[in-house]
Amino acid sequence: MTCVSCLLLLLLQLLLTAAAAAGAGAGGGGGGGGSAGPYEPNWSSLDSRPLPAWYDDAKVGVFLVWGVYSVPSYGSEWFWKYLQADKNPKYIDFMERNFRPNFTYQEFASHFTTELFDPASWAEMVSASGARYVVLTSKHHEGYTNWPSAYSPNWNSMDVGPKRDLVGDLAKAFRSKAPHVHFGLYHSMFEWFNPLYLQDRHNNYTTNLFVETKTVPELYELINQYQPEVVWSDGASVDPDWYWNSTVFLAWLFNSSPVKETVVVNDRWGEGAMCHHGSFYTCQDRYNPGSLQNHKWENAMTLDKASWGYRREATLTDYLTIHDLLTTLAQTISCGGNLLVNVGPTHDGRIPTIMEERLRQLGSWLDINGDSVYSSRPWTHQNDSLTPGVWYTSRGDRVYAMVLKWPKDDLVKLGSVVTTKHTSITMLGYGHGNLTFTPLEDTGTHVTFPAMSKVASQWVWVLDMFGVIPAGHTTH
Ligand SMILES: *[C@@H]1O[C@H](CO)[C@@H](O)[C@H](O)[C@H]1NC(C)=O
Ligand SMILES: *[C@@H]1O[C@H](CO)[C@@H](O)[C@H](O)[C@H]1NC(C)=O
Ligand SMILES: *[C@@H]1O[C@H](CO)[C@@H](O)[C@H](O)[C@H]1NC(C)=O
Ligand SMILES: *[C@@H]1O[C@H](CO)[C@@H](O)[C@H](O)[C@H]1NC(C)=O
Ligand SMILES: *[C@@H]1O[C@H](CO)[C@@H](O)[C@H](O)[C@H]1NC(C)=O
Ligand SMILES: *[C@@H]1O[C@H](CO)[C@@H](O)[C@H](O)[C@H]1NC(C)=O
């Protein structure tokens, strides 16, 4: 290969990288496209808002699902629904075996004591995980608010249970102890058993008493009091978006609210909105499509495979290992997603030790390998064409290969990477210079891993490549 062709190939790579970035940006609203507002209360206008840049750069968030369900801490945060509406025998038996007859779910609230809750230590832990945002449940489908809402008398964290403002205390702790971590709030639109909600549904949405007197005022109260930079809506998808007044609220949020410049919202704002509208798409729980998406998206997933809320009966194998977690991270980031890692705190205010361990392990990996994650962009290829378990990202003129398994004989075969005269390859967490590589006969590259004892990273290893071009764009 002559040097002229090397240079041409390098130029081609830069163009492809720029095109890929622009492609992801246009879809994600983070590129040059989009409109600066003001926004109308309709989806075509709201969807034209550019994605605030911090969100795509942050890549990793921690999701805290905490409420009255953390008291029984059994089965799932859907405990009340399964017990009362579904009469699920597992939950009926649990109540019969452990509580006096006619004990109601609402009575659990006074046992939501949170006496060990130390907001500063949560902020420290989330920060140590490497997450750049946090999302706390302000209210789940049970309707109990983790802040002293004026619209939820006797069913909020000041009146019953903790006797404190959990949302406010955590927001303050993050802003003072971990200001680089964006503070966000989850909010459930519907409430399983709220009589006003049930009445509106019964009336086939000819009334919207629940929305007018509860949901909407509550949302304004939350935004004005706590200024969340993520509004993670949920529980809206069985009812139409016009019932929820979603577009009216979002137009206010983007035009006039105290967080109008930086706030991002998900896609759960009413029937049909999921995967179609919002700053980023969540599509379904644990969404992990494995291919590049044309709109910014988020994989909201759980460390406990079976539940978002804390579950005391979970066993070791119910939890993701750190390798499982990093595998999901690599797949998610390489396909343009963010990863929102859920942990379920306990009724007394602790983050369970095994979840703390996962978070700190994630942080120790990101400390070494963060260049391949933060502010990265998808590359031309998402996973390798020859070797399973190799996922790519890019940043400027660098390409990163996250290798999920240390290769046999220390030799990894990359079918998607073509080297040039300008290529150099090293490994993050290996401070001893370049790695040896040779072109594959067909197309691709063999890279020789260093001695494992000289590498700081554990679990997953990242090749840091300069001056390479994507296979499939080289031979014409
Ligand atoms: C939606 O907003 C746009 C402005 O972006 C406006 O031109 C359009 O008329 C609105 N559509 C409806 C149905 O209100
Ligand atoms: C439980 O509630 C039912 C129906 O309200 C009532 O008939 C029954 O006496 C109650 N049981 C106890 C032990 O209070
Ligand atoms: C409910 O309203 C929708 C229109 O909003 C209508 O299509 C549907 O037939 C109504 N259903 C009942 C049971 O009234
Ligand atoms: C809901 O939206 C309608 C317009 O569609 C508006 O008249 C009404 O004031 C809104 N209600 C709230 C509580 O925002
Ligand atoms: C790349 O990922 C896709 C989607 O997960 C999968 O179908 C394909 O088999 C993967 N390729 C390799 C070589 O592992
Ligand atoms: C790695 O290779 C590049 C390109 O050949 C070279 O410029 C650089 O100095 C090398 N780095 C080390 C630490 O040897």
Side-chain angles (χ1 to χ4, degrees), residues 208 211-213 216-217 220 242-245 247-249:
N208 66 348
V211 177
E212 292 279 332
T213 61
V216 167
Y220 283 87
W242 53 260
Y243 169 67
W244 295 118
N245 261 29
T247 58
V248 176
F249 166 72

Side-chain angles (χ1 to χ4, degrees), residues 344-362:
T346 61
H347 79 282
D348 53 10
R350 292 170 296 115
I351 290 178
T353 310
I354 187 153
M355 301 195 197
E356 174 178 358
E357 182 182 49
R358 286 301 168 276
L359 294 181
R360 292 194 189 279
Q361 287 171 327
L362 174 62

Side-chain angles (χ1 to χ4, degrees), residues 54-67:
W54 73 264
Y55 178 79
D56 190 26
D57 289 345
K59 302 296 183 195
V60 183
V62 165
F63 196 6
L64 302 164
V65 171
W66 198 30

Side-chain angles (χ1 to χ4, degrees), residues 63-70 76-82 84-86 105-106 136-147 152 155 186-198 201 210 214-215 218 232-239 244 266 268-270 274 282 285 307-309:
F63 196 6
L64 302 164
V65 171
W66 198 30
V68 173
Y69 41 83
S70 311
S76 141
E77 70 290 344
W78 278 57
F79 187 100
W80 194 9
K81 163 77 161 51
Y82 294 154
Q84 185 163 317
D86 300 355
Y105 182 85
Q106 289 95 319
L136 168 71
T137 46
S138 65
K139 181 195 85 172
H140 199 260
H141 312 327
E142 63 189 8
Y144 179 92
T145 61
N146 281 339
W147 82 101
S152 190
W155 194 229
Y186 165 106
H187 174 266
S188 173
M189 302 290 258
F190 88 140
E191 296 173 17
W192 293 312
F193 302 114
N194 190 301
L196 293 176
Y197 172 66
L198 298 175
R201 291 203 65 180
F210 177 62
K214 185 85 178 13
T215 323
E218 204 169 71
W232 212 104
S233 179
D234 196 18
S237 58
V238 296
D239 311 297
W244 295 118
N266 71 343
R268 303 187 179 187
W269 296 100
M274 199 143 87
T282 62
D285 292 355
S307 179
W308 302 77

Side-chain angles (χ1 to χ4, degrees), residues 288-291 331 382-391:
N288 188 9
S291 58
Q331 293 167 343
Q382 277 61 64
N383 56 344
D384 193 65
S385 58
L386 277 181
T387 303
V390 176
W391 294 85

